[in-house]
Structure formats: C-alpha cells, structure tokens
Amino acid sequence: MVAPATLRVVRCGGSTLHGARAVFSADSKYLLCASGDFVKMYSVATEETLRLMGGHADLVTGIQLNPHNHMQLYSSSLDGSIKLWDFMDGIPIKTFTVGSKLLALYTLASSEDSVFVVIPKSGERDKFQLVSVKLTKAAGQDVEAKELSVVLDGVDASPKCIAFGREGEYVASVKEVNLQVYFFKQKQLNRFSVSAMKTKSGNNCFTCIACHPTEDCIATGHANGKIRLWRNFYHKKEYTFSTLHWHHDTVMDLAFSIEGTSLLSGGVESVLVLWHNESDCQKDFLPRLGSAIEYISMSSDGALCCTLHTDNRITIINSNLRFSKSIQGLIKSPGVKTGLVVDPRTKALVLNGEPGHLQFYCLQSDQQLFSLDIVQRQYIHQAGLNQADLVKVAFSAQGKWLATVEEREEVADPELQLKLWFYDEETQSFKLNTRINMPHEDHITDMCFRDMDELEDDSLILVTAGRDCVFKVWVMVEDTDPEAQQSVSWSCDFVGSYHNYQATNCCFSEDGSLLAVSFEETITVWDSVTWDLKCTFCYPPGKVRNICFGRLTCSKYLIGATDYGFLCCWNLLSCALEWSAHLNVLVLQPDPLSEHIAAVSWLSKESSLFVFKPNEPRPVYIQRNLCKEKIRLAAFVPRDEPEMISSEKYLWLRRSQLFFLTDMQELMTLSTKSLEERLTPSSKQLAVEESLPVTPFSVLLGKHRRQQSQEDTDLGKRVLHNKREQDSPAVRELLHTPAHVLPSASFLCPIFINSLLISKENKSAEEVADEVEMESEKTQEDSDEERDVTEMEQEDTSPMELLGEMTCKLSKSQEKELRKIRKMDYSWISAF
C-alpha cells in the first residue's frame, strides 16, 4: 500500500452506538446502527461487523428502513443530508441535501415521497421543529430537498421524544411537562400537560414516548420513573391515563411489541421490563444487562428486540425475554484515568472499561476482546458514592506482568491498592500475584516498568511515583513461605525523594540504565543500579507535565513538557538544554519502534499534532486542526507488518500507527488506507462477499474457476493460463453489483470484452508463433494425444511447475510436429 499525498484523520472506533435507535433488517438477519459518522451493519447470528457505510461528514442522527423497499435504508446526519443506501452492498444510492442540521429521522409507509426530520428553528436558539421533507425524484445521485413543511413546533431535539400513531394518522411529541398530538387528516393539534411540581422521587418531566401499533394509545416515560398510558386524547378535556411504576429513576426508552400486547421499558437500572396487557401487576424482568438502557428496538416479525446501552453495548434479546447476543464496542467509561496502554501480547488497547474493570479493545474489529475485573467489588449505580476505581495501568515489556492501581477518593484518608498480576499461559488470563495496601501515603501519579526484553525475569523493576513526595522501586523476591501459592512476590526495594517536592512523572531510558522522575518543576535522573542521583534539569516557569527519553539513535536526549507551554529537549551527555519550543503540549508520546515522538498541543480551541525527532528541533510532520475536540490521550500501536510509505514526510507511520482519544471518548487515527480496507481484514471481506446472494451466472462460472492465475510461457505448454475471473474488475463488478445500480449493457460490454483479451505487449515473434501453434493444435479433435494433453492442462498446476522446476514431456510424434512448425516463417503475423 503506497500512501497518498495526504493523511486523513478518521474515526476508527469508539463512536457512540446509541446515537439513534437501531434497526433490524426485514428478515431479522442484520442489525443496523448509527455509529459516529457511519452506519454499521452487524450479523445477528455471528455478531460480526459486516458493513461500515461512510459518506456523512458529521454525526449520524437517525436511520430508518425505506418502508417501500426493505432492502434500502435512509440515514440522516448533522451535516444536513439524508442518504438512501442499498445496505446489503453498502452502496449510497442517493443523497438529499436539506441544508439544515438534522437531529432525528422518521419514515411512514403512508408517505411515499417524504420523510420527517427534526431541525433547529431558524433564528431561535435551542428551539426545534418537526418538518416534512419532500424527497425529489430528480435524476442524479446528489439532489437538493429544500421543500419543507412544518408539522410540529416546539419539539424536543431527542429522537425518542416523537412517535407516530397507528397507520400514521397522528404524531405525538413530548417536551418538559407538555404532550402534543397532531392529527394529519383533521389538521387538529391537542396539547396536554402534567404537573410540574417536583416530588421526593423526582419530577414529572417527559423523557420518551411510544405509540401503540394498532390502538389509539400513547405511552410516555417520565423522569420520576413512572410510565403513563394515554387514551381518548382526541378530546382535549376528556382524555384519560393510567400509570405504571417500577423504575426508581428516569425511564429512558419505551417500545411496544409488534402486536401491541406488551410494552418494553428500560432505564438506568440496567433492567429490561416487560409489561403485559398494560397491567402494573403483570410484568417480567431481564436484569443485569451491564449499563443504562438508552434505546429499545423491535424486529418487524416480533421475534427479537435489541437494547442500546450507554456503555456502547448492543444486547440482542429473544421475544421470550431471554438474552441472546451481546456486541460490545469501546466502553465509554466516566473517565479514562489509566491512559491508553498497548498490550504487548495482543496489540490491543487497554484502558478503563466498566467500573473497576480493565477493557482490552481490538482495533481491527472495533469490539472488546475481554474485560478484566481489577477492583473485584460490586459496583453500586448511585451518584455521590465514593467507590474504588482503577486509575493506573502498566505492562512489562513482554506482557508477562501487569501492574494496576486502584483508589477510593476520601477527603481525609484515600484508600489505595497496588496489584501485580501474572499472565497464566494455561488459562490465558491474568492472575493476581501480589496485593499491596497503601503503597503510598497519597495518590499515585505515575507508574512504569523497566523495559528490558531479554532480561525481563532477572531485572524486572516497577517504579511508582506519588503525591507523598517519594518514588518507590518494587522488585520481585522469592517467597520463603512453604505454604505460599506462588514462588515469587513483590516488595519495596528503594525509596527516593527530592527536596520534599511531589513526584509527578517517571520513565526509564531505552536500555533501562537511567530513571527519570519529575518533581514539580524539576526533572531528576537516577542510576537504576545504584539509585544514585546523577543530574537534575529545570526549565522554569511551570510544573513538568510529561517526560520521555529518546530512543535508538536519539537515546541521549530527554524530552519534557511543562504546563506553562514549553517543550524542552536536554542532552544527557552534556547535561545542557539542546533546544526548547513554546508549545502547550497535552500529550507526549514516543514511538517504541523509531526515534519519532508525537506531541499534541491545544491552542485557541484547536488540537494540533507535531511529530519530531529529539536531535532535530524542526518537526518532520505537522497537522493543524487535528480534530474539533480536545485530545487527552494517545498511543503508538506497532503494526504487524511495516507499511509501504512513498513520502519521506510520512515515514514515521511506517512501523507504528498513532491512535488518540478525544474528550468525547472517540478513538481516532491518521490513516493512509481507505477506511473499509483498514477496519475490515481481507478475510472478513471475503466471508461477507461469499455470504451475499449471487446470480445463477456467477454460480455457474464459480464451479469452473481455476485455482492458478499465473501465465505459463514454457514452450512445452499448449494453453496459456488466463487470469482468474475474480481478478478482473470488470467481471467482479458484473457478477456482484446489484442490477438496479448497474450501467447499461452497451457500456459494460467493451470493458468485459477487453478484460478477456490477452495483452501482446513485449511478445517476441517466437512467442506469437507458439500461440498460433496452440490454436492449430486445438482444432485437431481426432487426436488421442491431443485429448490427453487437454486433460493434463485442465488439472491444477503443481507448486513445482510454478517455480519452473518441472517441464511437460512431449510424445515423439508431438516433437516431430513441433520441429516442422518451428521451421515455418510466421513473422508476417507480427504486423497485426
């Protein structure tokens, strides 16, 4: 892969899956979800990501099946466009430009040429309207849809605050304490309100709404956990409602079953509640779903429902309220305190996951590999409680050891625990080896292992730095207790300090001989064998925010960034400042496989990336306005294979790829590949392609596909091996592109014919003569020897033949015929 002229900043995972309600395909085999700027299609059976449909320039806010063609999908976005997709092939059919931010999308079977969207009210802040958009049938792939008509004014921006009634006769909207119902045929608008008075259990504000599919009934969820069922709302004063109550907090979403015989509700309790016959007495529960339920969706046949959760999880549930499947993306934790850490074994990103857990996140599949329970305590979902949380993580160089720090915030006496975990090859997971209570008297600010691959077991050292003004060195010791379960444990070997300043950062040099520890405005360098203080560096004003050593040819340099906006480089041999730059660096991340260091700055509400080598003050790469959000964390992840880079400007991406996490906890990267190629491995692309329905013509050709595509130019061969049909773009497009989006046959025919022709470039007269010989021999059908040769040629070529180490033996009669043909003059053919 050769890099293009410029790099692109792309979302590679972590995009919120609960941005809009998920949609099942008509046959319930696939699940479609809005995820950041994209629409994802999952297999319900295998949980795999089958399609990633990109094209919107901003967040996708709504997805709906086309009610008149269930193989098509509408999507709306904040970029002001509505796209129509053939989601089975991931092909955008049409783009309708509305021109205003679209916050929600709805479709009705009764509306053939229009959809409904929520847009901001022009000229007024934080006010929104529900409008009908007429989708023009004009030719072209990109068309404008400017014909809007207002249906409801003063609606909420949330997509779950609007619902359409049975057969699209009316639309209902909730906002704050008001319910609006608009009847399309009568053009009548009824308004209802509930008491705004707050009670001990919360307030009455509406949070969500759902309409009964066959009856005139509206269900509304409220912030105090109650559900109201409204009837007879055709009359402004004679309406009635009944109340259901189980949730102790906000009802976050509601959904009726397809027949309308039951109602599903979900909230912060992580419990799906099934209400039978609108009765408060008849209800079933599916508890322990992991996190708060944000959206509930039903399949069209009623066999499945799915819940989208605030932690980026999708749960697929059977109609009998039995758990079926779970798709877990990058968990959105309240705060990523551990930073972005790379697991040396799996190359997975490791960071905070569920409360008290460590998540291992696969970058290729955009799904969680597994979760490790670190705190091992029951987490209580209640605001205001001080509960233990994971704050620091470090891996040894080979990934055999994992160090974690957990703390519970207390005003007077914080509770700390340092845990050392050993990787067990048998169970393929980490086992707790040592637990150290209160390793420091105050919070631990940083932690690192000494990275020495070849000597890890003999010289493994862990260093922790704390606000108690000391750093501690932890080493492995043999356990003398005969009843001990493990042979080694960890204990403190050395305690260092500097003028009673708080220790803030620590890191080892590449060879492990030096340890750098920052104490507020000063960086100290220590000998890792004798623990003698070697030198100190200071560049006032400002406390040191980040430090790191150079690597490979730049190992003699030490880099530091201060919170006053300076980036400094010191020479360890001369103990002098090599250079400094005025830069407000939030992230300083060295590449473990090269000399390059990435620095991310924040200035004027803009994140910028600078990549440099410590021996050169001029950056090798600068990317201004990297993204709209502030970048807090970054990590270099080693590639499985070095990437081919054509430009020297991008050589720093050859062996590692840089990932960074924004304030919104979206994972981004700088990519030289197309998004689909980078996110979906080739094996998965083939699996998806084979699973799609193909034409009978394709099946017929597939039975006769040859396994080898290399052309054989040996003189003894009678037939040239043509390229496989699937290697030809023309054939592949002809066989696998849906008929309704194919160009005309007159356009495809020349491309198809040309793909079958053999190029005559760089062919000698002798090779042309050989081809004519083959043509003449094929016409002699009465020769037994010819049939034998033909049968030989239809067999697969052996690996030895491909390497040119075997030649085809000819019979005596064939050799005589070949000599006669060689003597003939075929040079006149070269003119053609």
Side-chain angles (χ1 to χ4, degrees):
M1 178 70 189
V2 178
T6 57
L7 298 180
R8 298 185 314 280
V9 179
V10 294
R11 287 180 174 87
C12 57
S15 297
T16 303
L17 291 172
H18 58 266
R21 276 195 183 96
V23 174
F24 283 95
S25 61
D27 56 5
S28 300
K29 289 183 178 179
Y30 307 106
L31 183 66
L32 297 129
C33 300
S35 177
D37 299 358
F38 310 98
V39 178
K40 286 186 178 179
M41 184 171 81
Y42 295 96
S43 166
V44 172
T46 65
E47 307 170 21
E48 282 188 297
T49 305
L50 300 182
R51 294 280 177 214
L52 187 66
M53 290 172 275
H56 286 293
D58 210 331
L59 294 176
V60 176
T61 55
I63 53 173
Q64 296 284 343
L65 288 180
N66 183 352
H68 308 289
N69 186 341
H70 292 303
M71 302 301 289
Q72 296 178 353
L73 179 86
Y74 285 110
S75 66
S76 64
S77 169
L78 292 180
D79 64 5
S81 68
I82 298 171
K83 286 184 179 289
L84 179 63
W85 303 86
D86 180 334
F87 61 84
M88 289 299 296
D89 294 282
I91 299 172
I93 300 172
K94 214 159 195 175
T95 300
F96 303 93
T97 303
V98 181
S100 179
K101 284 187 176 182
L102 308 180
L103 303 164
L105 174 69
Y106 311 91
T107 57
L108 282 182
S110 57
S111 300
E112 290 189 10
D113 59 349
S114 61
V115 296
F116 298 86
V117 294
V118 175
I119 63 171
K121 190 173 183 178
S122 59
E124 298 187 41
R125 188 177 179 183
D126 296 331
K127 290 192 176 181
F128 307 94
Q129 295 174 317
L130 176 68
V131 299
S132 173
V133 181
K134 187 172 183 180
L135 302 180
T136 176
K137 295 183 179 179
Q141 194 168 11
D142 296 312
V143 296
E144 290 191 349
K146 302 291 186 181
E147 192 174 332
L148 310 179
S149 56
V150 178
V151 178
L152 277 178
D153 208 348
V155 301
D156 196 280
S158 172
K160 51 191 173 186
C161 288
I162 293 176
F164 287 81
R166 61 180 181 89
E167 299 178 359
E169 290 188 4
Y170 57 89
V171 59
S173 165
V174 292
K175 184 179 181 181
E176 296 174 353
V177 293
N178 299 308
L179 165 65
Q180 296 184 89
V181 184
Y182 178 75
F183 302 94
F184 289 102
K185 290 182 179 179
Q186 298 85 349
K187 294 184 179 180
Q188 176 186 349
L189 177 64
N190 290 350
R191 289 189 176 92
F192 311 96
S193 63
V194 294
S195 172
M197 184 177 63
K198 292 185 178 181
T199 62
K200 293 181 180 179
S201 60
N203 58 54
N204 280 331
C205 286
F206 290 97
T207 56
C208 54
I209 188 171
C211 292
H212 198 286
T214 58
E215 300 176 7
D216 291 329
C217 174
I218 297 174
T220 58
H222 297 260
N224 58 7
K226 292 182 179 180
I227 299 170
R228 286 188 170 91
L229 297 169
W230 302 74
R231 293 184 181 276
N232 203 31
F233 42 81
Y234 285 91
H235 305 281
K236 292 186 178 181
K237 295 183 179 180
E238 297 176 7
Y239 68 91
T240 62
F241 67 81
S242 57
T243 303
L244 307 175
H245 195 187
W246 177 86
H247 297 277
H248 82 277
D249 210 326
T250 304
V251 179
M252 299 186 74
D253 202 14
L254 295 167
F256 278 99
S257 63
I258 299 302
E259 301 84 5
T261 55
S262 58
L263 175 68
L264 291 165
S265 65
V268 298
E269 303 88 358
S270 309
V271 177
L272 185 65
V273 185
L274 178 65
W275 307 84
H276 295 282
N277 302 317
E278 303 170 12
S279 169
D280 207 356
C281 301
Q282 301 179 31
K283 52 184 178 287
D284 292 320
F285 305 95
L286 180 60
R288 294 183 291 276
L289 291 177
S291 66
I293 297 172
E294 188 78 23
Y295 288 97
I296 304 172
S297 302
M298 297 292 301
S299 63
S300 58
D301 58 2
L304 297 171
C305 79
C306 86
T307 54
L308 272 62
H309 300 257
T310 53
D311 69 348
N312 232 11
R313 178 183 303 169
I314 303 170
T315 304
I316 300 173
I317 300 161
N318 293 326
S319 57
N320 58 358
L321 218 61
R322 292 289 182 267
F323 174 87
S324 175
K325 298 280 193 311
S326 179
I327 302 170
Q328 177 67 73
L330 183 68
I331 291 180
K332 306 280 189 174
S333 58
V336 184
K337 301 176 183 177
T338 61
L340 288 184
V341 185
V342 181
D343 178 15
R345 290 179 173 273
T346 61
K347 302 296 187 296
L349 278 186
V350 180
L351 63 159
N352 289 98
E354 297 177 52
H357 288 67
L358 202 58
Q359 65 171 320
F360 289 70
Y361 170 76
C362 178
L363 293 162
Q364 283 72 34
S365 63
D366 188 22
Q367 291 186 24
Q368 187 185 109
L369 291 179
F370 63 94
S371 180
L372 183 63
D373 188 357
I374 301 295
V375 174
Q376 297 179 343
R377 297 182 191 175
Q378 182 66 37
Y379 184 83
I380 302 172
H381 292 270
Q382 183 174 336
L385 291 181
N386 291 328
Q387 302 182 76
D389 198 10
L390 185 63
V391 293
K392 298 294 176 188
V393 169
F395 283 93
S396 62
Q398 296 179 4
K400 290 182 180 178
W401 288 93
L402 166 67
T404 62
V405 175
E406 59 195 67
E407 66 178 34
R408 188 157 65 100
E409 188 73 42
E410 295 290 347
V411 177
D413 187 18
E415 180 183 313
L416 299 173
Q417 273 198 355
L418 172 64
K419 291 179 179 178
L420 279 303
W421 308 73
F422 179 74
Y423 188 80
D424 188 348
E425 294 287 351
E426 292 184 3
T427 60
Q428 294 288 299
S429 63
F430 286 94
K431 284 189 174 181
L432 183 61
N433 175 270
T434 304
R435 179 190 286 111
I436 303 168
N437 289 317
M438 293 306 296
H440 286 257
E441 294 179 5
D442 206 339
H443 296 288
I444 293 177
T445 55
D446 203 2
M447 175 173 61
C448 64
F449 278 98
R450 180 163 68 176
D451 290 334
M452 298 177 71
D453 293 345
E454 68 281 359
L455 301 173
E456 182 177 303
D457 292 334
D458 299 330
S459 59
L460 196 58
I461 292 174
L462 175 69
V463 172
T464 57
R467 290 185 195 169
D468 56 353
C469 304
V470 299
F471 72 90
K472 292 187 178 183
V473 179
W474 307 86
V475 297
M476 281 191 294
V477 295
E478 292 187 5
D479 206 325
T480 57
D481 187 358
E483 296 182 0
Q485 294 182 355
Q486 57 262 352
S487 58
V488 296
S489 60
W490 290 76
S491 66
C492 184
D493 183 61
F494 178 77
V495 179
S497 63
Y498 183 78
H499 293 295
N500 207 32
Y501 293 144
Q502 287 186 357
T504 52
N505 297 277
C506 62
C507 66
F508 278 99
S509 60
E510 187 178 18
D511 63 357
S513 61
L514 296 176
L515 170 69
V517 183
S518 62
F519 290 89
E520 297 183 11
E521 296 184 358
T522 307
I523 299 176
T524 60
V525 180
W526 306 72
D527 188 318
S528 66
V529 178
T530 62
W531 299 116
D532 293 334
L533 179 60
K534 290 295 184 182
C535 60
T536 60
F537 299 111
C538 186
Y539 193 85
K543 294 181 180 180
V544 177
R545 184 183 282 165
N546 298 294
I547 57 172
C548 69
F549 281 96
R551 293 179 179 270
L552 302 177
T553 60
C554 299
S555 58
K556 65 179 180 179
Y557 297 103
L558 177 64
I559 312 297
T562 68
D563 58 4
Y564 267 66
F566 285 96
L567 181 65
C568 311
C569 176
W570 288 279
N571 190 321
L572 294 169
L573 300 181
S574 63
C575 295
L577 180 67
E578 192 80 10
W579 54 265
S580 67
H582 190 59
L583 204 63
N584 182 31
V585 175
L586 296 183
V587 178
L588 191 65
Q589 187 66 39
D591 180 8
L593 301 180
S594 72
E595 297 93 343
H596 296 101
I597 297 175
V600 180
S601 70
W602 175 256
L603 185 64
S604 302
K605 296 182 180 180
E606 178 182 297
S607 289
S608 300
L609 172 66
F610 299 85
V611 180
F612 63 94
K613 291 183 179 180
N615 59 352
E616 299 174 7
R618 186 182 298 275
V620 298
Y621 180 78
I622 299 175
Q623 174 77 43
R624 302 281 184 183
N625 193 15
L626 195 61
C627 70
K628 300 174 184 177
E629 296 89 19
K630 185 180 288 188
I631 296 171
R632 294 290 187 184
L633 303 166
F636 275 102
V637 178
R639 298 183 188 274
D640 293 331
E641 293 181 1
E643 187 166 315
M644 298 299 293
I645 303 291
S646 60
S647 173
E648 292 185 8
K649 187 178 179 182
Y650 308 134
L651 282 178
W652 61 278
L653 278 171
R654 185 171 180 269
R655 302 191 65 185
S656 301
Q657 190 168 2
L658 179 64
F659 294 86
F660 46 91
L661 199 68
T662 66
D663 269 352
M664 303 298 292
Q665 293 191 31
E666 288 191 331
L667 195 64
M668 297 187 175
T669 187
L670 288 167
S671 177
T672 59
K673 296 183 178 181
S674 68
L675 191 67
E676 293 78 4
E677 182 183 356
R678 187 182 51 73
L679 278 181
T680 309
S682 57
S683 60
K684 186 178 290 187
Q685 288 176 347
L686 292 173
V688 174
E689 186 178 339
E690 291 300 321
S691 69
L692 294 178
V694 292
T695 63
F697 183 43
S698 174
V699 173
L700 181 65
L701 281 182
K703 295 179 181 178
H704 302 285
R705 283 178 178 168
R706 309 185 67 84
Q707 299 299 315
Q708 303 294 336
S709 62
Q710 181 179 349
E711 293 186 358
D712 200 324
T713 56
D714 290 345
L715 184 62
K717 291 294 179 185
R718 299 302 178 97
V719 177
L720 289 173
H721 295 293
N722 290 328
K723 290 184 177 180
R724 290 177 296 177
E725 285 83 353
Q726 59 265 37
D727 286 344
S728 167
V731 178
R732 187 167 60 248
E733 290 298 320
L734 185 64
L735 298 181
H736 294 285
T737 304
H740 65 277
V741 293
L742 273 176
S744 64
S746 61
F747 177 79
L748 284 177
C749 189
I751 302 174
F752 176 68
I753 296 299
N754 288 333
S755 70
L756 302 178
L757 296 178
I758 301 170
S759 174
K760 68 174 196 176
E761 293 180 3
N762 302 324
K763 286 190 177 182
S764 64
E766 187 177 356
E767 288 174 321
V768 175
D770 292 341
E771 290 178 22
V772 174
E773 168 207 346
M774 295 169 197
E775 287 291 322
S776 64
E777 287 179 355
K778 286 179 182 176
T779 61
Q780 301 175 10
E781 297 178 358
D782 56 333
S783 172
D784 295 336
E785 295 164 350
E786 289 288 328
R787 292 193 202 101
D788 295 338
V789 173
T790 304
E791 290 172 3
M792 287 172 59
E793 288 166 351
Q794 287 179 353
E795 296 175 0
D796 289 341
T797 307
S798 69
M800 298 299 288
E801 288 176 302
L802 290 177
L803 294 173
E805 298 182 10
M806 289 185 69
T807 57
C808 180
K809 292 183 179 181
L810 303 177
S811 65
K812 290 183 179 180
S813 61
Q814 289 173 341
E815 288 180 358
K816 288 180 182 179
E817 187 72 16
L818 190 60
R819 289 193 197 102
K820 290 179 182 179
I821 295 174
R822 280 182 178 171
K823 293 177 182 178
M824 298 179 68
D825 183 14
Y826 290 98
S827 60
W828 58 272
I829 298 178
S830 62
F832 297 92

